[in-house]
Every structure is written in C-alpha cells, then in structure tokens.
Amino acid sequence: MALLDDVAALAKLAAASIDDIGAAAGKAGVKAIGVVVDDTAVTPRYVTGFTPDRELPIIWRIAKGSLKNKIVFILPAALLLSQFLPWALNPLLMVGGAYLCFEGAEKLYEAVSGHHDTEGEEVIKLTSAAHEEKMVSGAIRTDFILSAEIMAISLAEVAGEPFLSRTLILVVVALMITALVYGVVGLIVKTDDVGVRLAASGSRAAQAVGRGLVKGMPVVMSALSVIGTAAMLWVGGHIITDGLDKFGLSWPAHTLHDLAVAAGQAIPIAEGVVEWLVETLGSALVGVLLGGIIVAVMHLRPARAAAH
C-alpha cells in the first residue's frame, strides 16, 4: 500500500509536470504565431501545378522535412547555445529577424515594381518525379529559416526553465506547430477539390457551396500571400526592436509601446485591440525600413558589378 501511495504521488507529480510543459509550450508557440502564419501562407505555392493525387503526399513529405529540421538540426543547436552561449541567442535571433524583414520587403518591391526574380523559372522539361523532388527540397529549405525563427522565439520564451524542461517544451512546440501548419496547408490545398466534387453533386445547395469554394480559393490564396508578407515584416520588425531593447537601445521598443498605449487610451472601447494594432503596425514599419535598406543594398551590388 505504501508503494502504491508513492506511485500515485509520482503520477500526480508527473501529470503536473506534463501540464506545466503543455502550458509553457502553448505560451511559447503563441509568441511565434507570426512566423507560423507566414509558414502556412508560403507553403501552398510548392504544390501548385501538381495533380490532386500528389498534393497531400507532397505536403506530407514537406511536413516530415520540417519536423526533421526542428528536431534533428535546430533543437540540439538551440539547446547547446542556450546552455553554453546564451548571449549568442539574441544576435542570432536578430539576424533571423533581419532576414524576415528582407524577405518581406523584397516581396513588396516585386509587387510595386512588377519585377520578379526569374532565376530558375525557365521553362524546362522535367519528369514529374524530378520536379516534385525540386519543389519539396525548396520547400524544406525555406521551412528551415522559418522553423529556426519559430524555435528561437520559443526558446527565448522558456530560457529560464531547467535544461530537461526546455528540451521537452521545445519538442512539444515543434510537434504542435508542424501539425498545425501542415494540417492547415492540407485543408487549404484540398478545399478546391472538395468544391469541385460538391459542384458536381446532385444537391443544388451543395453545388452552390462547391462553386463558392472553387471561386473563393484564389482569393484566399492571394490573401494568404498578403498576410504572409505582412507577418514577415511584423515579426521581423518586432524581433529587431526587442533585440535592440535587450542590448540597451530601448527607445524604438519604448516609443512603439508608448504610442500603442496612448492610442488605446484614446479609444477605450477597443483599447486592447488598438494597442495591439498600433504596436504591430509600428513593428511592420520597422521591418519595411530595415528590409528596404537590405533590398536596396542587395540590388545595388549587382548593378555596380555590371557597371564595372
């Protein structure tokens, strides 16, 4: 009976620990939601042009690659850095934030100028397997950057936890976010197929719903592209201002916070929403400014090289 009592006590302790890890993983995952939105928005383009029977298998392959990125490559490196070189996390996170700003600003530049990078887009004859392999590899490479940001943001949120707890929390975050992102991507990609089947059914109501889904999906995909770009700029800008604050350059973060609070107090009926919106727009503006500088430098270098 004493042994059973000890087992019960250990079980309660384990359950409480699992509950704490789940709560911490949820909190850490929420902090990375901007990058999650971007990851979800970016991925569907990698299955464009494939036959419907290949869409879900391709998404499954990308999801497995994403999980491998997080668990096998990023997690051990992040844990080692947090354990032995914790000071390096903030600079690395800021480098990733600057990359997100660059990516977002590059998309804005392409949208405004009408210029699109055509490198690698020449019309070439590829076997289906070769083209699929190329697209999956490209998706997994892009995912690596976004996954690194997700894990770094999550790690920063739980940096004060013991090593084992940190490890378990990040594993839960990796599993949870990968399932969320690629589950949503799968639903997005297959929605138009569902619409086609409903449109071909015998029910008028189902046909109307099906036609609505088929017509609506291009709008949804366009909206996801815009949301993904906005998320890159917002998350990147926030990472930069937060990183500068940790280095002692506090005025950008404090200025945004003060503006957000003032705006919220001016509209008390929606104070929380207004504060979030102003701070998000401010972070996005930082992202546009920094990303614009990087884009300008990247585009000037080839021009100078060509001139010489």
Side-chain angles (χ1 to χ4, degrees), residues 79-200:
L79 288 171
L80 286 172
L81 281 173
S82 68
Q83 189 68 21
F84 300 108
L85 296 171
W87 57 266
L89 286 175
N90 190 45
L92 288 174
L93 196 58
M94 290 180 72
V95 169
Y99 178 80
L100 287 177
C101 293
F102 163 70
E103 283 283 293
E106 179 80 0
K107 289 184 179 181
L108 284 181
Y109 168 74
E110 290 175 355
V112 171
S113 67
H115 169 76
H116 294 274
D117 187 6
T118 57
E119 183 180 354
E121 293 180 4
E122 296 86 356
V123 179
I124 55 176
K125 290 183 179 180
L126 290 171
T127 64
S128 179
H131 182 54
E132 180 176 320
E133 194 64 38
K134 178 182 176 183
M135 296 305 286
V136 169
S137 298
I140 292 172
R141 281 195 301 272
T142 300
D143 173 88
F144 186 88
I145 299 295
L146 297 171
S147 290
E149 285 299 298
I150 289 167
M151 297 299 280
I153 292 168
S154 302
L155 178 61
E157 190 63 22
V158 297
E161 298 287 337
F163 184 82
L164 180 59
S165 294
R166 248 180 295 157
T167 304
L168 293 174
I169 289 166
L170 291 177
V171 168
V172 171
V173 167
L175 292 170
M176 178 177 67
I177 286 181
T178 303
L180 173 64
V181 167
Y182 292 98
V184 171
V185 168
L187 287 173
I188 291 169
V189 167
K190 299 309 288 183
T191 297
D192 56 349
D193 293 340
V194 173
V196 169
R197 291 190 181 185
L198 288 174

Side-chain angles (χ1 to χ4, degrees), residues 38 54 75 99 113 133 167 195 237 240 271 284 298 302:
D38 183 48
R54 292 306 306 155
L75 179 60
Y99 178 80
S113 67
E133 194 64 38
T167 304
I240 295 299
E271 184 174 351
M298 295 299 289

